[in-house]
């Protein structure tokens, strides 16, 4: 493991230097669009296969997305993305080592090779896709930023937060989005920022902030951990659009393709009506698209360094996108998040997979 880290560090030292030099005065990990990065050639796919284990960067602090349960098991939609990649690679969804990363350290961990994949409720933005040097997989959750306040505060909209203290996590898009919206509407406020997400919400819970801002899904998730969840409401105001997606470091097109098509496999499986319970019924299907998808015809998997049945492995072990959503965020969970934009395009949502051909 030490040798692996040293290899990555030596390979991308100039790249890290570039990233460090791009950090703004705000202390966040955002970079300007005019910055460029030095391209680095990597072989992450080969290293992961050789090690026999995927190292996946997650939050570990956000129920429904990535959280450590009472028995020490990781669960959540971000965790299931990691498990799906492991299933495609090794036919084993448990061949994953999870690394808890805060918002500030997550990109460095990816660039230095500490993690192979970042699956950590991360927004896909212009600067992260360019000057920070990330390659994003398809969006796994369409979200938006909001603000949570106490129900008895009398606060009903952004305007009511004039001169109020608002907690936010630094190193994320939420801090800048809040500043942009308040400036746009000429609303003065008192930002209270922390690097640690737990401290951010603990400060709000202690009453030291009038509101706390984060992705709407994160607010819904965190509200369930407060002593009296029903005493808090999430304002209707939307501060931004936040497409959350897994990411890999630039420099390895094959690894980027692997992660990208793993996510598309989850979506396509739901489109085709294939899930973990009925996949056996499709083994002898005569539908050409289904045959290509399951790998019983053609060699699509080989084109990205996987077995041709990689999608079948994913569905068998992890399920399709709908199954993942339902067990982590759906109506039978504490979060009870309507799918909304996270429905298939055939049901009015934004999820869509390119053809498997």
């Amino acid at each position: 493991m030490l040798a692996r880290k040293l290899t990555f560090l030596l390979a991308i030292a100039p790249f890290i230097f570039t990233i460090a030099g791009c950090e703004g005065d705000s202390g966040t990990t955002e970079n300007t669009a005019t910055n460029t990065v030095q391209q680095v050639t990597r072989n992450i796919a080969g290293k992961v296969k050789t090690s026999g284990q995927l190292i996946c960067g997650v939050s570990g602090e956000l129920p429904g997305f990535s959280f450590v349960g009472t028995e020490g098991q990781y669960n959540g939609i971000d965790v299931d993305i990691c498990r799906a990649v492991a299933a495609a690679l090794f036919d084993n969804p448990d061949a994953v080592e999870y690394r808890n990363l805060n918002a500030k350290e997550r990109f460095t961990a990816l660039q230095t090779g500490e993690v192979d994949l970042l699956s950590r409720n991360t927004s896909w933005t212009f600067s992260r896709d360019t000057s920070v040097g990330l390659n994003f997989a398809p969006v796994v959750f369409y979200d938006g930023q909001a603000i949570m306040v106490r129900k008895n505060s009398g606060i009903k909209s952004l305007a009511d937060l004039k001169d109020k203290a608002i907690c936010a996590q630094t190193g994320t898009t939420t801090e800048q989005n809040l500043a942009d919206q308040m400036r746009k509407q000429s609303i003065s406020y008192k930002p209270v920022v922390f690097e640690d997400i737990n401290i951010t919400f603990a400060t709000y819970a202690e009453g030291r902030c009038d509101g706390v801002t984060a992705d709407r899904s994160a607010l819904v998730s965190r509200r369930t951990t407060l002593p009296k969840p029903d005493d808090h409401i999430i304002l209707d105001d939307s501060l931004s659009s936040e497409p959350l997606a897994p990411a890999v470091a630039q420099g390895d097109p094959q690894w980027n393709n692997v992660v990208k098509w793993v996510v598309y496999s989850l979506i396509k499986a739901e489109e085709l009506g294939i899930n973990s319970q009925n996949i056996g019924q499709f083994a002898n299907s005569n539908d050409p698209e289904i045959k290509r998808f399951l790998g019983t015809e053609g060699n699509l998997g080989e084109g990205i360094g996987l077995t041709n049945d990689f999608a079948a492995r994913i569905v068998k072990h992890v399920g399709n996108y709908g199954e993942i959503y339902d067990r982590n965020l759906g109506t039978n969970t504490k979060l009870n998040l309507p799918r909304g934009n996270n429905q298939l395009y055939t049901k009015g949502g934004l999820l869509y997979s390119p053809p498997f051909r």
Side-chain angles (χ1 to χ4, degrees), residues 55 149 196 205 269 342:
I55 302 178
V149 300
D196 187 273
N342 297 294

Side-chain angles (χ1 to χ4, degrees), residues 93-295:
D94 297 322
V96 184
E97 178 184 337
Y98 298 99
R99 299 277 178 87
N100 288 7
L101 302 171
N102 64 35
K104 189 174 183 179
E105 66 192 6
R106 56 185 163 172
F107 300 141
T108 301
L110 189 62
Q111 299 298 352
T112 59
E114 180 183 338
V115 299
D116 307 309
L117 169 65
L118 185 66
S119 184
R120 191 201 173 281
N121 56 294
T122 298
S123 298
W124 185 349
T125 70
F126 185 103
S127 60
R128 290 173 178 175
D129 197 35
T130 56
S131 58
V132 179
L134 306 185
N135 279 330
F136 282 91
V139 174
V140 297
F141 191 88
Y142 288 93
D143 209 347
Q145 186 176 333
I147 297 177
M148 181 164 64
V149 300
R150 292 167 190 81
K151 187 180 293 185
N152 63 4
S153 67
I155 298 171
K156 303 296 182 183
S157 67
L158 284 182
D160 296 329
L161 285 162
K162 179 178 174 58
D163 297 327
K164 303 290 187 182
I166 304 175
C167 281
Q169 186 184 13
T170 192
T172 68
T173 57
T174 58
E175 183 182 7
Q176 186 61 54
N177 290 337
L178 175 64
D180 288 348
Q181 286 296 326
M182 299 303 256
R183 179 182 177 184
K184 179 180 178 180
Q185 300 187 40
S186 299
I187 302 172
S188 58
Y189 72 105
K190 301 172 185 176
V192 183
V193 300
F194 303 94
E195 287 186 7
D196 187 273
I197 187 66
N198 292 318
I199 295 176
T200 303
F201 278 90
T203 302
Y204 167 76
E206 291 167 2
R208 293 162 55 193
C209 294
D210 300 288
V212 60
T213 186
D215 292 344
R216 187 175 296 275
S217 62
L219 295 176
V220 172
S221 174
R222 284 283 175 168
R223 183 170 57 181
T224 66
T225 67
L226 295 174
K228 296 181 179 180
D230 292 340
D231 289 351
H232 306 267
I233 60 172
I234 300 173
L235 301 181
D236 291 334
D237 300 79
S238 181
L239 278 64
S240 68
S241 58
E242 302 295 333
L244 308 183
V248 298
Q250 288 182 0
D252 191 338
Q254 182 185 16
W255 182 236
N256 182 34
N257 280 334
V258 167
V259 176
K260 177 169 63 178
W261 284 97
V262 164
V263 175
Y264 280 140
S265 295
L266 297 170
I267 298 170
K268 177 59 74 173
E270 186 177 10
E271 283 184 33
L272 296 173
I274 304 174
N275 59 47
S276 60
Q277 302 301 309
N278 67 13
I279 187 171
Q281 301 172 19
F282 291 86
N284 298 316
S285 172
N286 291 320
D287 185 324
E289 184 177 23
I290 291 176
K291 291 172 74 69
R292 288 192 299 271
F293 179 76
L294 296 178

